[in-house]
Amino acid sequence: MAFELPALPYAQDALAPTISAETMEYHYGKHHQTYVDNLNKAVAGTADENASLEDIIMKAEGPLFNNAAQVWNHTFFWNSLSPNGGGQPTGAIADRIAADFGGYDAFRAQITEAGLTQFGSGWAWLVEKDGKLAIMKTPNADLPMKHGAKALFTIDVWEHAYYIDYRNARAKFIEVVLDNLINWDFVNANLAS
Ligand code: MN
């Protein structure tokens, strides 16, 4: 059974103007699709053909890992966003952010710093590790599950995530994703899982 590009949890233009339909056309329709296609080519006729995406991610290295992890990362990223998201946390995660970071402003400052200081391509994450919330940054396709951490939220800081809408302004992209799109319901669901 081949891997498939998961449907977006909203319309392709639903995140505009924060993330334009044109960015989604390329980022979801071309980049994410290409990772799916390359993963399928890599596993065709191998023992991994019927493996789960997570199993491939945990055991693979090199190009197979890169494509499998980027399929997972992008699906997780789309689910981390909502047209009705953004702003202050709600539910259980609000209490955890207060306890483990000292408040939303400190969380926001730390994940912004992680995204800005990830040199080159990569990801900024809110994770739970050893029972505590933490901020991580990972290069290229790397992701929390490879480091014993549970992903709760991510921002893609590859240039392809923001260059159409914000050109070189990665800081602006991070700011508006946090202000307008962060899906706290998804974060809470991950926390509870
Ligand atoms: Mn991306």
Side-chain angles (χ1 to χ4, degrees):
M1 172 102 183
F3 292 98
E4 291 181 4
L5 182 68
L8 286 172
Y10 34 71
Q12 195 156 283
D13 62 357
L15 303 182
T18 306
I19 297 177
S20 68
E22 184 184 4
T23 289
M24 294 303 292
E25 180 187 341
Y26 281 84
H27 197 177
Y28 169 72
K30 298 188 188 297
H31 289 280
H32 196 177
Q33 180 71 64
T34 298
Y35 296 126
V36 171
D37 293 345
N38 286 340
L39 174 61
N40 281 323
K41 282 180 206 157
V43 299
T46 77
D48 290 325
E49 201 163 12
N50 295 305
S52 73
L53 189 59
E54 288 78 7
D55 285 348
I56 293 172
I57 289 168
M58 290 308 290
K59 72 180 184 184
E61 295 175 16
L64 178 58
F65 168 77
N66 286 336
N67 284 292
Q70 284 292 78
V71 170
W72 193 97
N73 288 342
H74 283 88
T75 301
F76 190 85
F77 178 51
W78 307 134
N79 284 304
S80 288
L81 309 178
S82 165
N84 306 310
Q88 296 282 330
T90 54
I93 194 68
D95 295 336
R96 293 292 304 276
I97 284 174
D100 293 348
F101 293 105
Y104 172 77
D105 289 349
F107 154 77
R108 184 190 173 93
Q110 288 184 38
I111 197 165
T112 299
E113 179 72 8
L116 287 178
T117 57
Q118 174 50 48
F119 186 79
S121 296
W123 302 81
W125 305 86
L126 173 63
V127 304
E128 186 181 44
K129 186 172 187 186
D130 302 327
K132 283 201 76 166
L133 300 188
I135 300 298
M136 282 182 74
K137 58 182 176 180
T138 59
N140 302 314
D142 195 16
L143 72 174
M145 73 173 80
K146 280 284 216 189
H147 305 278
K150 180 165 78 171
L152 303 177
F153 168 78
T154 195
I155 304 177
D156 186 342
V157 295
W158 284 57
E159 284 187 346
H160 67 221
Y162 56 86
Y163 229 84
I164 291 172
D165 296 327
Y166 301 96
R167 298 303 177 190
N168 61 315
R170 186 188 288 192
K172 182 66 182 174
F173 174 67
I174 294 170
E175 177 188 323
V176 292
V177 166
L178 294 172
D179 281 345
N180 303 332
L181 300 181
I182 182 170
N183 183 350
W184 291 115
D185 292 340
F186 180 68
V187 180
N188 274 309
N190 293 325
L191 186 67
S193 70

